[in-house]
Amino acid sequence: MSDLKWWETAVIYQIYPRSYQDSNGDGIGDLKGITSRLEYIAGLGVDAIWISPFFMSPQRDFGYDISNYCDINPEYGTLADFDEMISKIHDLGMKLMIDIVPAHCSDLHPWFEESRQSRDNPKADWFHWVDPNPDGTVPNNWLSFFGGQAWSWEPRRQQYYLHNFLSEQPNLNHANPEVREALNQVARFWFDRGVDGFRLDAVHTINGDQAPYLDNTANPDFVPGNLPQQQQPFFRQLHDVAQLNQPAIQTFSENYRKIADAYNGDRFLMGEVDGDKGRAMEVSKTFTDTGRLHATYNFDLLTWGGLSVDGLRDAINNAVDVFNGSGRLCFAFSNHDVPRSATRQLAALALGPDQGDAMQLLLLKLETCLIGSSCVYQGEELGLEDVTDIPVEQMQDPWGVKFAPAFLGRDTCRTPMVWEKSNQHGGFSTAESTWLPVSSQHLKRAGLDMAQTDGSIYQQFAQFLAWRKNQPAIMNANTMSTVSGDARTLVFDRISDAQTLRCTFDFDTLTASFEEI
Ligand code: BGC
C-alpha cells in the first residue's frame, strides 16, 4: 500500500462542462449530461475529475467570470444536479475537483456592481481603484493578458479599475480582509458539499496591496518564438516585480490551506501558476512551501506551438530538478486554453498525419509516468484533433473573436465531445445547433464507439492505467532520475524501495517500453 496522498499520483480527467454532454437540448453541456457520462470516464481508470467553472456567470469568459460563486449557472443545472453528480462520482470511486477563480470575478457580480457606484460604499475597496494620471491616462503600463490595457475607466468614481484579463473580469483586492473572508466562505461552501479539491485559477494574478503601482519593466530576453502575435505585447514585459506574483498570493494560499486541512487532511489545492520566462518552477516552489498549496499546475508541456523531444526533456527536467521526491506538481499536455496536443505536438515532433493516434497514446503514457499528478483533457483519450475550421461568425472565445482570423483563440480545443458517430451532433445534443459546432472530423473517434473498439486509444490507455496502478515505482514514491535519451527518445527511471522501473519513450517508433532494473 502506498503512503502517498491520492493527489500525489492522481490521473485527473478535465471536463469543459459547456462541451461535454447536453442533457436538455439547448446545445450547451450541463451537469446532468456529465452525470450521464461518468461510467465512460470511470472506465478509463482515472482517479479524479476536474470540472471547469459552472457557477453563476454571464459567460463573457465562459465561466471564468463568476457572478455568484455558490450557485450553478442555470444553463448548467442546479445545486441538486451537482449533488447527484458528486454522489455518483464518489460511488464510482473517483474524486471531484472544481475550479475556483480567486483572482477576479465578473463585472456583474454584486460585489463589483456595488463597488463601482462610488468611492465610499461598503464595497468601495473590494477592487483595485486607482486615480488617473494628471493627464487622464491609465495609472501605469500594465497590459491585459487578452490584449490592450489592464485598466478600464469607471466614470461614476472617476477612477480606473484593474483587470489582468477581460475588462469584464475586475481583479479582487486581496489586501482587503473582507474579500479574503468572502473567498474563504466559498471554499467552505464547496468542501461542505463534498468536493475533494480545487483547481485554483490564475493564482499568480491575485493582487493585494499593489501601491505604488510600479510600471512593469521591458523583458530584455523577449523572443517571439511561436507565441501568438496577439500575446506578444504582454510578454514583452516582465511582470513579477510589479503586476503579478505578489505576496498577497501567499496569504491567500495559507488561508485556503488551513481551511482544506480542517477537512480530514485529504482535500487538495492545486494552483494554476506561471512566472516570467524561466521562473515558473521557482515560483511554483514558493507557492507549495509548507502551509501553502499542495501542488501547482505546470504549464511547461502546454506551450502553444508544441515541443520537440529535446524541448520535452528540458521541460520535464526543469520540473524534476525542483520537485523530485514530491507530488507537488501536475503535468498536462492539453487543456481548454491551448490548441490540442494531437495537433500541436504532431507538428512539433515532425510526425505525419497517420501517426497521430500512436503519438497521442505515447504522450498520455509519458505524462502519467512522471512524478506528481497529471491532467488529461476531455478528448485526449480519443486523440481528438484541434478544430481550426470554425467559421468566424460562429466563434465564441472573446480572445479569438477579437483577433480572428489572424489568431483563432481557444475555441479550437473547446468544441463539443462526440459520443456516437451515427447520432445527431455526435450524440452531444439534440438541439438544432450547438454553442460551438461539433467537428465532423471528430466523428470517426466518437467516445462510446472508441470505448468499445479493440485497440483504440481509449482502450489502450485504460489498460495502461490499470498496469500503472500495480507499479510500486509509480504509485508508492515520487522519485525519478533525470531524463536522458537522444534526439528521438526520452529515458528515465522511476524509483521506489520495491522497484526501479526504466521508462523509455521512442518518438520514432512511437512506443513506450518499461523494464524493471
Ligand atoms: C483559465 C482561462 C481563463 C483565465 C482567466 C485561466 O488561466 O484557464 O480559461 O480565461 O484564467 O480566468
Side-chain angles (χ1 to χ4, degrees), residues 451-475:
Q452 282 157 21
T453 303
D454 288 345
S456 65
I457 304 178
Y458 178 100
Q459 283 207 357
Q460 291 194 63
F461 186 43
Q463 283 154 11
F464 179 76
L465 290 183
W467 170 86
R468 177 185 183 271
K469 285 209 167 80
N470 290 316
Q471 304 310 311
I474 296 179
M475 300 306 293

CSV table of all heavy atoms in Angstrom, one decimal, residues 451-475:
chain,number,residue,atom,x,y,z
A,451,ALA,N,-14.7,3.4,-27.0
A,451,ALA,CA,-14.6,2.7,-25.7
A,451,ALA,C,-14.9,1.2,-26.0
A,451,ALA,O,-14.4,0.3,-25.3
A,451,ALA,CB,-15.6,3.2,-24.7
A,452,GLN,N,-15.6,0.9,-27.1
A,452,GLN,CA,-15.9,-0.5,-27.5
A,452,GLN,C,-15.0,-1.1,-28.6
A,452,GLN,O,-15.3,-2.2,-29.1
A,452,GLN,CB,-17.4,-0.6,-27.9
A,452,GLN,CG,-18.3,-0.6,-26.7
A,452,GLN,CD,-19.7,-0.1,-27.0
A,452,GLN,OE1,-20.1,-0.2,-28.2
A,452,GLN,NE2,-20.4,0.4,-26.0
A,453,THR,N,-14.1,-0.2,-29.0
A,453,THR,CA,-13.2,-0.7,-30.2
A,453,THR,C,-11.9,-1.2,-29.7
A,453,THR,O,-11.1,-0.5,-29.0
A,453,THR,CB,-13.0,0.5,-31.1
A,453,THR,OG1,-14.3,1.0,-31.6
A,453,THR,CG2,-12.2,0.1,-32.3
A,454,ASP,N,-11.6,-2.5,-29.9
A,454,ASP,CA,-10.4,-3.1,-29.5
A,454,ASP,C,-9.2,-2.3,-30.1
A,454,ASP,O,-9.2,-1.9,-31.3
A,454,ASP,CB,-10.2,-4.5,-30.0
A,454,ASP,CG,-11.2,-5.4,-29.2
A,454,ASP,OD1,-11.7,-5.0,-28.2
A,454,ASP,OD2,-11.4,-6.6,-29.7
A,455,GLY,N,-8.2,-2.0,-29.3
A,455,GLY,CA,-7.0,-1.3,-29.7
A,455,GLY,C,-7.2,0.2,-29.9
A,455,GLY,O,-6.2,0.9,-30.3
A,456,SER,N,-8.4,0.8,-29.5
A,456,SER,CA,-8.5,2.2,-29.6
A,456,SER,C,-7.6,2.9,-28.6
A,456,SER,O,-7.2,2.2,-27.6
A,456,SER,CB,-10.0,2.6,-29.4
A,456,SER,OG,-10.3,2.3,-28.1
A,457,ILE,N,-7.4,4.2,-28.7
A,457,ILE,CA,-6.5,4.9,-27.7
A,457,ILE,C,-7.2,4.7,-26.4
A,457,ILE,O,-6.6,4.5,-25.4
A,457,ILE,CB,-6.4,6.4,-28.1
A,457,ILE,CG1,-5.8,6.6,-29.5
A,457,ILE,CG2,-5.5,7.1,-27.1
A,457,ILE,CD1,-5.7,8.0,-29.9
A,458,TYR,N,-8.6,4.9,-26.4
A,458,TYR,CA,-9.3,4.8,-25.1
A,458,TYR,C,-9.0,3.5,-24.4
A,458,TYR,O,-8.6,3.4,-23.2
A,458,TYR,CB,-10.8,4.9,-25.4
A,458,TYR,CG,-11.7,4.8,-24.1
A,458,TYR,CD1,-12.2,5.9,-23.5
A,458,TYR,CD2,-12.0,3.5,-23.6
A,458,TYR,CE1,-13.0,5.7,-22.3
A,458,TYR,CE2,-12.7,3.3,-22.4
A,458,TYR,CZ,-13.2,4.5,-21.8
A,458,TYR,OH,-14.0,4.3,-20.7
A,459,GLN,N,-9.1,2.4,-25.2
A,459,GLN,CA,-8.9,1.1,-24.5
A,459,GLN,C,-7.4,0.9,-24.1
A,459,GLN,O,-7.2,0.3,-23.1
A,459,GLN,CB,-9.3,0.0,-25.5
A,459,GLN,CG,-10.8,-0.2,-25.6
A,459,GLN,CD,-11.2,-1.6,-26.0
A,459,GLN,OE1,-10.3,-2.5,-26.3
A,459,GLN,NE2,-12.5,-1.9,-26.0
A,460,GLN,N,-6.5,1.3,-25.0
A,460,GLN,CA,-5.1,1.1,-24.7
A,460,GLN,C,-4.7,1.9,-23.5
A,460,GLN,O,-3.9,1.5,-22.6
A,460,GLN,CB,-4.2,1.4,-25.9
A,460,GLN,CG,-4.4,0.4,-27.0
A,460,GLN,CD,-3.3,0.5,-28.0
A,460,GLN,OE1,-2.1,0.3,-27.7
A,460,GLN,NE2,-3.6,0.9,-29.2
A,461,PHE,N,-5.3,3.1,-23.4
A,461,PHE,CA,-4.9,4.0,-22.2
A,461,PHE,C,-5.5,3.4,-21.0
A,461,PHE,O,-4.9,3.4,-19.9
A,461,PHE,CB,-5.4,5.4,-22.5
A,461,PHE,CG,-5.0,6.4,-21.4
A,461,PHE,CD1,-3.7,6.4,-20.9
A,461,PHE,CD2,-6.0,7.3,-21.0
A,461,PHE,CE1,-3.4,7.4,-20.0
A,461,PHE,CE2,-5.6,8.3,-20.0
A,461,PHE,CZ,-4.3,8.3,-19.5
A,462,ALA,N,-6.7,2.9,-21.0
A,462,ALA,CA,-7.4,2.2,-19.9
A,462,ALA,C,-6.5,1.1,-19.4
A,462,ALA,O,-6.3,0.9,-18.2
A,462,ALA,CB,-8.8,1.8,-20.2
A,463,GLN,N,-6.0,0.3,-20.4
A,463,GLN,CA,-5.2,-0.9,-20.0
A,463,GLN,C,-3.9,-0.4,-19.3
A,463,GLN,O,-3.4,-1.0,-18.4
A,463,GLN,CB,-4.8,-1.7,-21.2
A,463,GLN,CG,-6.0,-2.6,-21.7
A,463,GLN,CD,-5.9,-2.9,-23.2
A,463,GLN,OE1,-4.9,-2.7,-23.8
A,463,GLN,NE2,-7.0,-3.5,-23.7
A,464,PHE,N,-3.4,0.7,-19.9
A,464,PHE,CA,-2.1,1.2,-19.3
A,464,PHE,C,-2.3,1.7,-17.9
A,464,PHE,O,-1.5,1.5,-17.0
A,464,PHE,CB,-1.6,2.4,-20.2
A,464,PHE,CG,-0.3,3.0,-19.7
A,464,PHE,CD1,0.9,2.3,-19.9
A,464,PHE,CD2,-0.3,4.2,-19.0
A,464,PHE,CE1,2.1,2.8,-19.4
A,464,PHE,CE2,0.8,4.7,-18.5
A,464,PHE,CZ,2.0,4.0,-18.7
A,465,LEU,N,-3.4,2.4,-17.7
A,465,LEU,CA,-3.7,3.0,-16.3
A,465,LEU,C,-3.9,1.8,-15.3
A,465,LEU,O,-3.5,1.9,-14.1
A,465,LEU,CB,-4.9,3.9,-16.3
A,465,LEU,CG,-4.6,5.3,-17.0
A,465,LEU,CD1,-5.8,6.2,-16.8
A,465,LEU,CD2,-3.4,6.0,-16.5
A,466,ALA,N,-4.5,0.7,-15.8
A,466,ALA,CA,-4.6,-0.5,-14.9
A,466,ALA,C,-3.2,-1.0,-14.5
A,466,ALA,O,-3.0,-1.4,-13.4
A,466,ALA,CB,-5.5,-1.5,-15.6
A,467,TRP,N,-2.4,-1.1,-15.5
A,467,TRP,CA,-1.0,-1.6,-15.3
A,467,TRP,C,-0.3,-0.6,-14.4
A,467,TRP,O,0.4,-1.1,-13.4
A,467,TRP,CB,-0.3,-1.7,-16.7
A,467,TRP,CG,1.2,-1.9,-16.6
A,467,TRP,CD1,1.8,-3.1,-16.5
A,467,TRP,CD2,2.2,-0.9,-16.6
A,467,TRP,NE1,3.2,-2.9,-16.4
A,467,TRP,CE2,3.5,-1.6,-16.5
A,467,TRP,CE3,2.2,0.5,-16.6
A,467,TRP,CZ2,4.7,-0.9,-16.4
A,467,TRP,CZ3,3.4,1.2,-16.6
A,467,TRP,CH2,4.7,0.5,-16.5
A,468,ARG,N,-0.4,0.7,-14.6
A,468,ARG,CA,0.2,1.7,-13.8
A,468,ARG,C,-0.1,1.5,-12.3
A,468,ARG,O,0.8,1.7,-11.5
A,468,ARG,CB,-0.2,3.1,-14.3
A,468,ARG,CG,0.3,4.3,-13.6
A,468,ARG,CD,-0.3,5.6,-14.1
A,468,ARG,NE,0.2,6.8,-13.5
A,468,ARG,CZ,-0.3,7.3,-12.4
A,468,ARG,NH1,-1.4,6.7,-11.8
A,468,ARG,NH2,0.2,8.4,-11.9
A,469,LYS,N,-1.3,1.2,-12.0
A,469,LYS,CA,-1.7,1.1,-10.6
A,469,LYS,C,-1.0,0.0,-9.9
A,469,LYS,O,-0.9,0.0,-8.6
A,469,LYS,CB,-3.2,0.8,-10.5
A,469,LYS,CG,-4.1,2.0,-10.8
A,469,LYS,CD,-5.4,2.0,-10.1
A,469,LYS,CE,-6.1,3.3,-10.1
A,469,LYS,NZ,-6.8,3.6,-11.4
A,470,ASN,N,-0.4,-0.9,-10.6
A,470,ASN,CA,0.4,-2.0,-10.0
A,470,ASN,C,1.9,-1.8,-10.0
A,470,ASN,O,2.6,-2.7,-9.7
A,470,ASN,CB,0.0,-3.3,-10.7
A,470,ASN,CG,-1.4,-3.7,-10.4
A,470,ASN,OD1,-1.8,-3.7,-9.3
A,470,ASN,ND2,-2.1,-4.1,-11.4
A,471,GLN,N,2.3,-0.6,-10.3
A,471,GLN,CA,3.7,-0.3,-10.4
A,471,GLN,C,4.1,0.4,-9.1
A,471,GLN,O,3.9,1.6,-9.0
A,471,GLN,CB,4.1,0.5,-11.6
A,471,GLN,CG,3.7,-0.2,-12.9
A,471,GLN,CD,4.2,-1.6,-13.0
A,471,GLN,OE1,5.3,-2.0,-12.7
A,471,GLN,NE2,3.2,-2.5,-13.4
A,472,PRO,N,4.8,-0.2,-8.1
A,472,PRO,CA,5.2,0.5,-6.9
A,472,PRO,C,6.1,1.7,-7.2
A,472,PRO,O,6.0,2.7,-6.5
A,472,PRO,CB,6.0,-0.6,-6.2
A,472,PRO,CG,5.7,-1.9,-6.7
A,472,PRO,CD,5.2,-1.7,-8.1
A,473,ALA,N,6.9,1.6,-8.3
A,473,ALA,CA,7.8,2.8,-8.6
A,473,ALA,C,7.0,4.0,-8.9
A,473,ALA,O,7.5,5.1,-8.7
A,473,ALA,CB,8.7,2.4,-9.7
A,474,ILE,N,5.8,3.8,-9.4
A,474,ILE,CA,5.0,5.0,-9.8
A,474,ILE,C,4.0,5.4,-8.7
A,474,ILE,O,3.8,6.6,-8.4
A,474,ILE,CB,4.2,4.7,-11.1
A,474,ILE,CG1,5.2,4.5,-12.3
A,474,ILE,CG2,3.2,5.8,-11.4
A,474,ILE,CD1,4.6,4.2,-13.6
A,475,MET,N,3.5,4.4,-8.0
A,475,MET,CA,2.4,4.6,-7.1
A,475,MET,C,2.9,4.9,-5.6
A,475,MET,O,2.1,5.5,-4.8
A,475,MET,CB,1.4,3.5,-7.1
A,475,MET,CG,0.7,3.2,-8.4
A,475,MET,SD,-0.1,4.6,-9.1
A,475,MET,CE,-1.4,4.9,-8.0
